[in-house]
Structure formats: C-alpha cells, structure tokens
Amino acid sequence: MGNSKSGALSKEILEELQLNTKYSQDELCTWYQTFLKECPTGRITKQQFESIYAKFFPEADPKAYAQHVFRSFDANNDGTLDFKEYIIALHMTSSGKTNQKLEWAFSLYDVDGNGHISKVEVLEIVTAIFKMISFEDQKQLPEDENTPEKRTEKIWVYFEKKDNDKISEGEFIQGIMKNKEILRLIQYEPQKVKERLKEKKH
C-alpha cells in the first residue's frame, strides 16, 4: 500500500497534505505523477531541486537560494526531499500562513541550525536573494537597500541589534509581526514579477 513507486499517493499523505496546504486532491495527484517522472526513486536530490528552481527563474541565478531553501526543508538531513517535504516547501514559500512562513523564514536564515541568526547569516541569505533579482530591478531599489550589505544593515537596525548580536526565533517572529517592512526586506518576492507579466498580457 505505502509503496511510493506504485504511482499512487498514499491516503494518509494525501489527507495530511490537503489538511496542511491549500492544494486539492487532484492537484496533489497530478504533481505526484510529475514528481515521479522527474524523480523515479520518489526522492529529490539537492541538484534536482536546484534545476527545478532554475526553471522558475530563467533570467536569474537561483542556485545559492535554492540550496538554502532545500536545506531548510530537508527535515531529516538526509540530503533528499520526499514528495511530502517537497510539497510543503512549495506551499510554505508561496502561500503558507504568516506564522508558518515566519517559522520557515527563520530556519532559512539560521544557516548553521544553532537556533539563532547572526548578521553574517542574514548577509548570506540576502546575497543569495540578490542573485535572483535582475540588474534592471536592482536599479529600481531604494538607495539604502540596493546592495546585500545595505539591506542586511537595514534589517539589523530594525531589530535594534549590534553587529555581534544574535536573534532568537521568538524575537525574529515578533519583530516582523511588529514591522512589515522587515518582512519585505527578508524575502524575495517573485509576486512582483508575476504582476508585471499580467500587465504585459493586457
């Protein structure tokens, strides 16, 4: 029954994913078939994840960001994602509830997994995000956040931290809840790109 290679998604996983994401049964089953075509073993490697991510951002270099996203969702640290981890990754990065998203964002920024975020870690993720922003779009950014260093500095100032301070998960979530500006600075928003594409179609 639970054989992941059978081409059918187990009822338990299907029910759990429907409960925890906004996807319908049909969508999940279709995605599962596609997933098995790409990953016949039923598991996706970091390299495969990077190449899937690259298709979403053809004009950018999402490799570094994809690696961090992969790390944050590889719950058991085995170097692969199964279908459940993969779908939860898709859901959380695109449409998760704010609190879930912030918990995920914390694990994304907590590069070494020690339960705290340092300024160096913020810079690492922000640098990866900048690789996905086209030069044209970078030119449109405000003067005080148009480089990874400036954006990191701005985030750190919002959190009222000194250079060597650390941020705990509670502080991170509270700080963002209080100041939506931080949320904008810590995430990459492909939504803007989608909106621009819609405008072109009209």
Side-chain angles (χ1 to χ4, degrees):
M1 248 312 271
N3 184 357
S4 63
K5 292 181 189 173
S6 66
L9 201 47
S10 84
K11 196 162 167 266
E12 292 79 20
I13 290 179
L14 197 55
E15 281 171 4
E16 190 181 340
L17 287 172
Q18 277 182 276
L19 205 63
N20 291 307
T21 71
K22 63 179 179 56
Y23 307 124
S24 69
Q25 189 169 334
D26 285 350
E27 283 176 312
L28 290 165
C29 290
T30 306
W31 275 354
Y32 188 61
Q33 297 306 326
T34 313
F35 182 81
L36 282 184
K37 267 185 211 137
E38 297 260 341
C39 319
T41 60
R43 305 197 76 81
I44 190 167
T45 64
K46 194 192 283 185
Q47 286 71 25
Q48 286 170 313
F49 188 77
E50 283 169 23
S51 67
I52 288 170
Y53 229 83
K55 287 175 195 163
F56 285 115
F57 306 102
E59 289 163 26
D61 175 14
K63 189 176 177 184
Y65 189 70
Q67 285 172 352
H68 286 297
V69 171
F70 185 92
R71 167 188 53 76
S72 68
F73 284 109
D74 181 11
N76 57 0
N77 284 324
D78 68 351
T80 64
L81 298 184
D82 60 21
F83 182 69
K84 192 166 97 177
E85 288 171 321
Y86 173 66
I87 289 296
I88 287 183
L90 278 182
H91 170 70
M92 291 283 270
T93 51
S94 61
S95 54
K97 292 191 183 97
T98 305
N99 221 39
Q100 284 181 320
K101 255 187 165 170
L102 295 182
E103 284 171 13
W104 167 68
F106 181 82
S107 67
L108 179 71
Y109 276 84
D110 182 13
V111 176
D112 64 7
N114 71 351
H116 290 88
I117 295 173
S118 68
K119 194 174 183 182
V120 173
E121 287 174 319
V122 171
L123 181 58
E124 187 171 341
I125 302 296
V126 171
T127 303
I129 288 173
F130 262 72
K131 287 183 181 166
M132 304 202 317
I133 305 173
S134 71
F135 286 118
E136 282 308 303
D137 284 351
Q138 283 187 36
K139 282 182 206 160
Q140 310 296 319
L141 291 170
E143 177 63 32
D144 64 345
E145 57 182 76
N146 60 4
T147 70
E149 290 75 15
K150 285 182 189 172
R151 187 177 275 207
T152 299
E153 190 57 45
K154 201 170 174 180
I155 292 167
W156 219 240
V157 167
Y158 275 135
F159 277 112
E160 299 175 357
K161 293 291 183 184
K162 298 192 188 77
D163 278 3
N164 293 325
D165 285 347
K166 301 263 198 294
I167 299 174
S168 68
E169 185 173 5
E171 281 181 295
F172 182 78
I173 291 172
Q174 256 184 321
I176 293 169
M177 291 293 212
K178 273 196 268 184
N179 190 337
K180 291 287 181 276
E181 196 57 10
I182 302 176
L183 184 60
R184 184 183 66 75
L185 292 169
I186 64 157
Q187 62 186 0
Y188 172 64
E189 294 181 56
Q191 200 53 43
K192 299 253 166 69
V193 180
K194 287 179 198 161
E195 280 162 19
R196 216 170 297 148
L197 290 173
K198 270 187 207 159
E199 283 163 22
K200 282 181 185 168
K201 281 178 187 167
H202 291 313

